[in-house]
Amino acid sequence: MEKIRIGIYWAASCGGCDVSLLEIDEQILDVAAKADFVLWPCATDTKYADLRAYKDGSIDIVLFNGAIRTEENREIAKLLRDKAKHLVAYGSCAQMGGVIGLANLSSRKEIFTTLFGAKTHWPKEESIQDGYPLHLPAFLDRLLPLGDVVEVDYVIPGCPPPREMVSQFFDALLGGKLPEKGAVFAAEKNLCDECPRERREERITRIVRPHEIESDPEICLLDQGIICMGPATRGGCGAACPMANMPCTGCAGPTANITDQGATMLNTIASLIGTGLEGEEELEAEEAILAEIDDVIGTFYRFSLAASIFKGAQRE
Amino acid sequence: MAKLNDNGFEPKIVAFLCRWCSYAGADLAGVSRMTYPANIIPMRVNCSGRVDAGMVMAAFEKGADGVLIGGCHPGDCHYVNGNYKTRRRVILLKRALAEVGVKPQRLHLEWISASEGVKFQRTVTEFTGLIKELGPSPMSGDGED
Amino acid sequence: MSRIGVFVCHCGMNIERTVDTQAVAATLSEHSGVVFTTDYNFLCADPGQRLIRDAIAEHKLDGIIVAACSPAMHEPTFRRVAAEAGLNPYLCEIANIREHCSWVHQDRDKATQKAIRIVKTLVEKVRGNQPLEPLRIDHDDKCLVIGGGIAGIQAALDVAESGFEVILVEKEPSIGGHMAQLSETFPTLDCSQCILTPKMVEVSRHPNVRLLTYSEVVEVTGYVGNYEVKIRKNPTYVDPDKCNLCGECVKVCPKSVGSEFERGLVERKAIYIPFEQAIPSSYTLDEEACLGLHPLRCSECAKVCEPKAIDYDMRPEYIEESVGAIIVATGYSLYPISSLTEYGGGQIPDVIDGLQFERLLSASGPTSGEVRRPSDGKIPKKVVFIQCAGSRDPERHNAYCSKICCMYTTKHALLYRHAVPDGEAVVFYIDIRAGGKGYEEFTQHAIEEERILYLRGKVSKVYRQDDRVVVWGVDTLSNRRVEIEADLVVLAISMNPHPSNLALSKILKISCDADGFLKEAHPKLRPVESLTAGIFLAGAAQGPKDIPEAVSQSSGAAVKAVTLLTKDKLIHSPEVVEIDEAICGGCGICVDMCPYNALAVNGAGVAEVNEVLCEGCGSCVSACPTGAAQLKNMTTQQFVEMIEVALQDG
Ligand code: SF4
Ligand code: SF4
Ligand code: SF4
Ligand code: FES
């Protein structure tokens, strides 16, 4: 039986996604037996020239992690789209821009100034280093999720994708049972569905950060005033964070018919805030609770800003 | 009535009007033959409590220069308290807008009762004037970055 | 949906004047999915309706938009037309291009462009609509009437006579309301008590009426046909079944306060009966006035009460009832006389309000019908009546006309002239509004034959000089300043909304208008209904009214209530929330959002809707973090598409 040809690529990424592949424990033996890795920059040495030489559609599946931050990321994404039969957005950055998508709150200029200081210190796209010409890929104005550049067939969400989802994917791949295009290897329902904490359907009367209180491990974090993105986030991870006494931060992205995870969670939190009564007399108290949320975008769009309706900062 | 700043810019404004108060207030403005700028496109919602952040953002994304939400006065919501929920959403949403660089004044929430045709007229006139002054939204296509 | 029809109405010139309806139709014919468009003079008229029906059949339309007046006007009409042509009525939508467009804009081009955008949004809405069937629900068949004045009494009697049980709740110790305070009624001069008392008796004895006096509605939940009502019956501390009306208690009670019924002209005791014909016919111990409700403090009354009717341990009693319909007849109050400082209101004892004068005229009043002024009990020989006191004065007082004052002032002047034949009556008026059967004749008679001096003009100042009240005014007809030294001044004070309207409107989830009167569903066509289904308005609760009007409105409200109660099933809008069970994670966030408790997370861990309770507000939809909760025919997806076309150019 012919082996499945797998490619793995990292674009703007921290490397965690590559590591997460190893978390599938002994299943990795199965993968090794049935598949060849034809591209994996993190583990093997493949040149772009080799990649270009592959015939279109000759890689069965490409797991693409990381977001599109540079011209190079974009170019390779397009190239891989051609070479791959199936392209998978692997991890939050490929799926939605991820944490690094928050960089979209700043312009390219602001980012460079922060990093390199005065404009004269900025790296140049074309330069001569040690007598050789050096070309650096252009830094895009905005970070993009993979899906903004090429068509994506599947999504394995997470930052990094948790073992459950990765192994669910390999089961399908190795078993020849890849689902319909567009599938997300996570639960259809939100995280609350699998979270063992008990939700008491209470109003949020204060907002605290996890380290500020000793939270009750049995009770829903929202009920205790900790902003948990679980409601607006797909399950599939087994509610790993809430079970470790940390709120969900939304890395798996929203459920199927939500376009903007942050806006949705903003709605939810604003709806739930309150003293339990609704009335004019409560308005001040409500405002005070809302004021406890600092960094609205960072809270609600931690992973999804680049894929949100606004995509990043507008200049006005 | 605010004087319109006439810079030739004709903004597009989406108005979400709750069926029981603001939409009816707009009806009354009509019945009373009051006039106001034609820049708003009214959309009926059952309650201002139905207007969520996604709808407002979608309006900006699709090219609105301003978004007006009209609801019943505090205590008068036909569904008891939908307007309070929206009021809270608007507070957070304005902060989110500011953080992504869209002027929060482009979103306006106003309580307009079914008997306040005059207030509807005034609100629309003033808000249109304000958006004219602000110029096109950065997302509306013709807005500068 | 791929076969959408768009019908653009001219509404005569109402729309056509500023909106180019032909252009609207033409532009829409290019819109995707639209297969038929037309414009027509009056779509709501019979031929217009026929045109719509024919087009639906001929073009096999599977969705229609009628671009016309506000949906508040004709949505039901056009949905019915759709149904008649075999199209599910929920696939018909109204684009409001009159109230929201043609009537408020003058630039024809801009108005036309806006109309096009409006119609497009509705096309997108219809495209996303699904055919729906109304929900059919059971209902209770009792009726709650709030307020036991003439309006409430009439409504209660009418409903009770139709065979339905009525719970009549009155805040005061007795029913009768303001009408019980009146001496005689205009224009016929019937004795008010004589025509009211039989009705009070009838309603209290009616087998279908449960009368709860000294009671207040404190909580209402539920929905049309199925309201759960909680009523607090305040303790009267007197058992009406034991009380034999001997009145011994009053004689011994050491505490006096101003009598409400006599409008403070005399005092009553802490234990009292509001007036002789009060129903229920029993004494009431006013908790606030009483020295202590405790044998150690006073207990004089209990000591003398032979039948042992007085019980200091009486507690508020809470009564719960399920009713199908509610009629609100809270009546009115008077504009506070002390706010009329320009007329010396509240400062000069001989400046009184109309209801006080009624008491002075009344045979059962504190002066046994002899007109004697409050300060010294003298019979006033010159009385000035000031109309529009506190009315029609947007700067300082109420902007509205209280409607009844012109007539009752005539009546007052006339009755005064009858009571004090050598007395002089002067009336200051702005206009005389005598629109009503026999009203104009009544005032004319008073002016011409009863020697009452009518001066057209406003009073600028009223002050006290020795034992007289001096009135400065102008007679605008002769352009003369007038100064009158009067013995008594009677202010035809403005009617105010009843102070309980505000709290009650919140309990009932109905609205008040800007003045504080309860708001009707439509000022012309639905004047006895509130905007909340199953709640009706009667009498001055809805706006100033005289007795015949209040009584007719009450009968109107009663018919509305009876119509509802007679129905086998009630119809509930199917535009309710729907939960996508595949996505819903049972987080329960929606549950707490619903003001009607329509949602609960079920055993399977998903939210479940009680469709009958859902009013379709969408609060849960906005809060649902997964998009699982959606309003039928108003989904987020539909809104996004509507927004898109609304903003589209060209
Ligand atoms: S802790 Fe988070 S994931 Fe768990 S139920 Fe609460 S909101 Fe949902
Ligand atoms: S809020 Fe949404 S996801 Fe949560 S229980 Fe309700 S319908 Fe389900
Ligand atoms: S839309 Fe939702 S919140 Fe509103 S009444 Fe229906 S179930 Fe309740
Ligand atoms: S119905 Fe108007 S704001 Fe809720």
Side-chain angles (χ1 to χ4, degrees):
Chain A
M1 197 178 90
E2 225 178 286
K3 283 194 161 184
I4 302 169
R5 290 161 60 84
I6 301 182
I8 295 169
Y9 186 76
W10 58 359
S13 138
C14 69
C17 282
D18 285 276
V19 178
S20 74
L21 281 164
L22 304 176
E23 277 203 51
I24 53 174
D25 304 336
E26 65 282 356
Q27 199 184 15
I28 199 106
L29 300 174
D30 211 16
V31 175
K34 294 188 181 153
D36 273 339
F37 288 86
V38 298
L39 167 77
W40 193 353
C42 158
T44 65
D45 185 14
T46 318
K47 297 283 183 273
Y48 285 157
D50 306 334
L51 182 57
R52 289 200 176 89
Y54 287 144
K55 276 209 226 71
D56 280 1
S58 64
I59 310 178
D60 290 304
I61 197 149
V62 168
L63 307 182
F64 190 110
N65 72 69
I68 309 298
R69 176 79 265 189
T70 65
E71 200 48 63
E72 179 195 17
N73 300 152
R74 170 146 62 188
E75 194 186 317
I76 304 298
K78 287 185 176 154
L79 187 64
L80 287 172
R81 176 69 271 187
D82 292 341
K83 305 297 173 195
K85 279 204 193 82
H86 301 286
L87 179 64
V88 181
Y90 187 95
S92 312
C93 296
Q95 180 198 7
M96 315 178 276
V99 166
I100 51 175
L102 286 174
N104 280 356
L105 287 175
S106 312
S107 67
R108 179 172 173 271
K109 186 173 151 206
E110 286 160 353
I111 294 172
F112 274 30
T113 310
T114 308
L115 276 177
F116 307 111
K119 192 151 187 188
T120 45
H121 300 301
W122 292 8
K124 300 192 176 45
E125 277 172 32
E126 307 297 340
S127 63
I128 306 287
Q129 298 278 323
D130 305 330
Y132 295 97
L134 175 69
H135 168 79
L136 289 180
F139 189 87
L140 303 179
D141 283 338
R142 211 167 241 187
L143 178 142
L144 306 167
L146 180 61
D148 277 13
V149 176
V150 292
E151 207 181 313
V152 167
D153 301 320
Y154 302 115
V155 175
I156 306 176
C159 180
R163 200 179 57 90
E164 295 85 341
M165 300 182 190
V166 182
S167 84
Q168 191 192 344
F169 163 74
F170 278 116
D171 276 346
L173 177 69
L174 303 181
K177 296 179 303 236
L178 279 179
E180 254 181 65
K181 229 182 100 165
V184 179
F185 285 89
E188 288 300 307
K189 294 176 181 261
N190 60 1
L191 191 62
C192 305
D193 185 50
E194 55 200 42
C195 177
R197 288 175 180 263
E198 181 202 346
R199 225 186 94 68
R200 296 190 165 164
E201 289 161 15
E202 270 170 16
R203 284 301 172 95
I204 301 177
T205 52
R206 58 166 185 175
I207 288 173
V208 290
R209 301 178 63 184
H211 65 271
E212 291 174 331
I213 56 161
E214 202 161 313
S215 57
D216 183 330
E218 310 284 320
I219 308 284
C220 167
L221 292 162
L222 278 180
D223 283 343
Q224 303 184 60
I226 296 172
I227 296 188
C228 175
M229 287 285 289
T233 306
R234 272 181 194 266
C237 58
C241 296
M243 282 175 73
N245 241 349
M246 285 299 284
C248 168
T249 48
C251 70
T255 50
N257 43 5
I258 294 292
T259 36
D260 192 304
Q261 186 185 18
T264 307
M265 195 61 196
L266 184 154
N267 290 330
T268 301
I269 293 291
S271 300
L272 282 178
I273 292 269
T275 53
L277 308 166
E278 300 252 25
E280 235 182 317
E281 316 74 38
E282 311 302 317
L283 299 183
E284 252 174 58
E286 292 173 355
E287 256 167 45
I289 306 170
L290 287 170
E292 290 166 19
I293 307 176
D294 40 26
D295 187 8
V296 177
I297 297 291
T299 305
F300 298 123
Y301 289 93
R302 185 151 317 158
F303 295 92
S304 67
L305 181 64
S308 69
I309 291 175
F310 281 148
K311 302 207 157 39
Q314 311 297 318
R315 306 272 155 238
E316 157 158 60
Chain B
M1 196 191 304
K3 201 174 157 306
L4 276 193
N5 147 330
D6 205 8
N7 54 9
F9 164 53
E10 290 295 347
K12 285 189 244 167
I13 297 170
V14 171
F16 297 107
L17 306 177
C18 101
R19 145 192 227 135
W20 304 99
C21 285
S22 304
Y23 191 96
D27 276 356
L28 182 61
V31 174
S32 324
R33 308 295 200 279
M34 295 168 179
T35 58
Y36 51 79
N39 304 65
I40 74 152
I41 307 128
M43 239 169 259
R44 186 171 77 165
V45 290
N46 277 359
C47 170
S48 71
R50 172 60 195 97
V51 183
D52 65 39
M55 283 158 71
V56 173
M57 289 180 181
F60 282 118
E61 182 200 15
K62 314 260 183 231
D65 301 296
V67 175
L68 176 69
I69 306 173
C72 311
H73 282 267
D76 289 350
C77 170
H78 183 72
Y79 305 102
V80 191
N81 49 29
N83 49 358
Y84 295 133
K85 292 167 186 140
T86 286
R87 183 180 170 277
R88 297 198 290 270
R89 271 196 289 279
V90 166
I91 293 175
L92 265 192
L93 188 50
K94 278 178 172 265
R95 287 177 53 197
L97 290 178
E99 285 180 27
V100 297
V102 173
K103 293 220 170 82
Q105 305 96 291
R106 293 191 185 274
L107 170 62
H108 185 69
L109 171 65
E110 189 75 57
W111 310 133
I112 304 169
S113 79
S115 54
E116 292 176 324
V118 180
K119 186 169 182 192
F120 184 82
Q121 175 203 39
R122 194 179 59 226
T123 303
V124 171
T125 309
E126 288 176 0
F127 189 56
T128 310
L130 172 77
I131 300 297
K132 278 200 175 198
E133 256 164 53
L134 291 182
S137 142
M139 306 190 76
S140 73
D142 19 319
E144 70 267 27
D145 232 351
Chain C
M1 207 157 290
S2 53
R3 304 196 57 81
I4 297 172
V6 175
F7 302 83
V8 189
C9 187
H10 302 183
C11 193
M13 283 312 281
N14 281 307
I15 293 173
E16 185 59 32
R17 187 176 297 119
T18 32
V19 169
D20 182 348
T21 52
Q22 265 186 334
V24 174
T27 312
L28 262 296
S29 67
E30 311 275 297
H31 197 80
S32 110
V34 175
V35 295
F36 176 82
T37 64
T38 188
D39 58 285
Y40 189 75
N41 200 10
F42 283 112
L43 283 170
C44 59
D46 270 348
Q49 297 189 16
R50 195 175 323 120
L51 178 144
I52 296 175
R53 277 194 298 267
D54 292 349
I56 293 174
E58 186 183 337
H59 300 275
K60 306 199 168 31
L61 301 179
D62 57 6
I64 63 166
I65 284 86
V66 181
C69 49
S70 169
M73 299 292 305
H74 280 312
E75 189 175 77
T77 315
F78 291 119
R79 289 198 160 168
R80 178 185 41 75
V81 171
E84 284 163 4
L87 181 66
N88 184 286
Y90 294 90
L91 303 178
C92 163
E93 292 286 351
I94 311 300
N96 183 346
I97 59 166
R98 191 180 74 176
E99 282 84 345
H100 288 193
C101 191
S102 71
W103 273 351
V104 288
H105 305 311
Q106 283 154 342
D107 181 324
R108 190 164 157 94
D109 194 44
K110 284 183 181 168
T112 305
Q113 288 314 313
K114 175 173 166 182
I116 290 170
R117 290 182 194 275
I118 293 175
V119 180
K120 279 185 180 173
T121 62
L122 275 307
V123 171
E124 289 318 306
K125 178 165 191 310
V126 160
R127 203 194 301 282
N129 279 1
Q130 36 172 319
L132 300 173
E133 290 304 329
L135 304 166
R136 301 168 62 77
I137 46 180
D138 292 323
H139 63 84
D140 285 307
D141 46 15
K142 288 187 200 165
C143 178
L144 169 71
V145 177
I146 306 174
I150 182 60
I153 292 174
Q154 183 65 45
L157 280 174
D158 286 345
V159 175
E161 276 299 295
S162 313
F164 296 98
E165 258 177 73
V166 176
I167 298 122
L168 176 58
V169 176
E170 167 60 50
K171 221 167 160 227
E172 303 297 329
S174 169
I175 54 170
H178 285 309
M179 189 174 168
Q181 291 172 292
L182 307 184
S183 54
E184 270 139 62
T185 58
F186 62 78
T188 45
L189 299 184
D190 306 90
C191 145
S192 184
Q193 289 268 1
C194 317
I195 53 178
L196 176 68
T197 316
K199 286 216 177 248
M200 289 167 59
V201 173
E202 192 186 347
V203 81
S204 68
R205 297 228 175 111
H206 201 289
N208 280 344
V209 176
R210 175 171 187 199
L211 179 58
L212 297 171
T213 48
Y214 219 41
S215 300
E216 283 163 77
V217 173
V218 289
E219 196 183 301
V220 175
T221 55
Y223 50 95
V224 54
N226 297 273
Y227 287 108
E228 301 296 328
V229 184
K230 197 163 158 191
I231 300 157
R232 185 180 61 230
K233 182 154 180 43
N234 297 317
T236 57
Y237 302 101
V238 179
D239 182 340
D241 295 333
K242 289 191 189 155
C243 172
N244 61 11
L245 295 170
C246 65
E248 290 302 321
C249 50
V250 172
K251 292 186 197 145
V252 298
C253 177
K255 182 69 194 296
S256 299
V257 289
S259 155
E260 294 86 355
F261 186 78
E262 302 296 355
R263 288 200 65 78
L265 289 172
V266 288
E267 297 199 311
R268 62 152 170 90
K269 292 295 184 61
I271 191 160
Y272 70 111
I273 185 161
F275 53 99
E276 269 164 37
Q277 302 86 337
I279 288 182
S281 186
S282 169
Y283 281 73
T284 298
L285 200 165
D286 172 354
E287 192 183 312
E288 257 159 49
C290 170
L291 291 179
L293 276 181
H294 194 283
L296 286 181
R297 293 253 170 73
C298 174
S299 84
E300 291 302 324
C301 52
K303 278 186 221 150
V304 299
C305 181
E306 224 160 76
K308 303 260 164 288
I310 298 172
D311 172 7
Y312 294 146
D313 294 326
M314 227 184 236
R315 291 284 161 268
E317 196 186 323
Y318 288 90
I319 296 149
E320 291 184 13
E321 285 276 5
S322 306
V323 301
I326 299 175
I327 297 174
V328 193
T330 46
Y332 66 93
S333 66
L334 281 196
Y335 192 74
I337 191 167
S338 54
S339 300
L340 290 159
T341 43
E342 64 271 40
Y343 298 149
Q347 292 140 30
I348 307 173
D350 292 328
V351 174
I352 61 172
D353 67 37
L355 268 183
Q356 286 176 319
F357 197 62
E358 293 285 347
R359 295 314 299 148
L360 294 180
L361 291 169
S362 169
S364 66
T367 54
S368 306
E370 277 186 25
V371 180
R372 292 183 177 277
R373 62 183 199 174
S375 62
D376 52 12
K378 278 196 198 140
I379 294 179
K381 289 291 155 71
K382 193 163 201 172
V383 180
V384 170
F385 297 88
I386 303 177
Q387 292 197 178
C388 299
S391 301
R392 307 172 69 196
D393 188 349
E395 268 88 55
R396 288 181 296 182
H397 307 296
N398 290 330
Y400 53 85
C401 163
S402 292
K403 205 167 182 180
I404 61 167
C405 322
C406 288
M407 295 312 299
Y408 81 62
T409 300
T410 302
K411 176 191 77 180
H412 282 171
L414 206 135
L415 291 177
Y416 165 70
R417 292 273 302 109
H418 293 178
V420 185
D422 60 341
E424 240 183 282
V426 182
V427 177
F428 280 95
Y429 70 101
I430 309 181
D431 305 289
I432 295 186
R433 300 184 166 174
K437 200 167 167 176
Y439 290 10
E440 175 66 15
E441 298 89 319
F442 183 62
T443 34
Q444 283 312 322
H445 165 80
I447 295 169
E448 283 158 20
E449 282 156 50
E450 301 278 353
R451 293 191 297 108
I452 297 165
L453 178 62
Y454 266 77
L455 293 178
R456 186 170 184 278
K458 278 216 114 174
V459 169
S460 57
K461 190 173 167 183
V462 174
Y463 63 95
R464 198 173 181 178
Q465 197 169 62
D466 306 326
D467 69 338
R468 312 207 76 187
V469 188
V470 185
V471 178
W472 281 6
V474 272
D475 174 2
T476 51
L477 292 182
S478 64
N479 242 329
R480 268 184 318 119
R481 254 204 62 211
V482 259
E483 186 181 325
I484 299 169
E485 282 185 24
D487 298 312
L488 182 68
V489 170
V490 180
L491 304 180
I493 283 197
S494 186
M495 254 186 178
N496 255 14
H498 196 277
S500 64
N501 278 9
L502 201 62
L504 203 56
S505 71
K506 293 199 174 25
I507 292 175
L508 294 168
K509 295 170 205 97
I510 57 179
S511 40
C512 288
D513 63 22
D515 297 316
F517 292 103
L518 298 176
K519 196 166 159 42
E520 63 286 326
H522 189 283
K524 304 255 175 356
L525 305 176
R526 296 172 66 194
V528 306
E529 291 161 78
S530 77
L531 267 172
T532 302
I535 301 184
F536 308 103
L537 312 176
Q542 181 249 351
K545 274 183 198 67
D546 61 16
I547 295 167
E549 259 190 299
V551 169
S552 12
Q553 199 193 15
S554 299
S555 292
V559 169
K560 290 280 174 190
V562 167
T563 313
L564 188 156
L565 299 175
T566 335
K567 284 199 178 114
D568 178 27
K569 300 259 181 191
L570 297 183
I571 307 297
H572 184 71
S573 162
E575 290 173 315
V576 293
V577 150
E578 187 172 33
I579 307 287
D580 183 343
E581 296 190 0
I583 294 175
C584 168
C587 61
I589 284 163
C590 53
V591 173
D592 187 44
M593 290 301 116
C594 182
Y596 308 104
N597 296 322
L599 291 156
V601 176
N602 66 16
V606 290
E608 207 176 274
V609 197
N610 179 345
E611 296 196 328
V612 167
L613 292 183
C614 173
E615 289 285 316
C617 70
S619 279
C620 58
V621 180
S622 298
C624 171
T626 63
Q630 288 294 342
L631 270 178
K632 286 185 192 168
N633 289 0
M634 270 169 276
T635 63
T636 309
Q637 190 55 34
Q638 279 174 294
F639 277 120
V640 170
E641 260 135 37
M642 290 166 73
I643 292 166
E644 176 151 14
V645 294
L647 295 164
Q648 221 169 46
D649 284 313

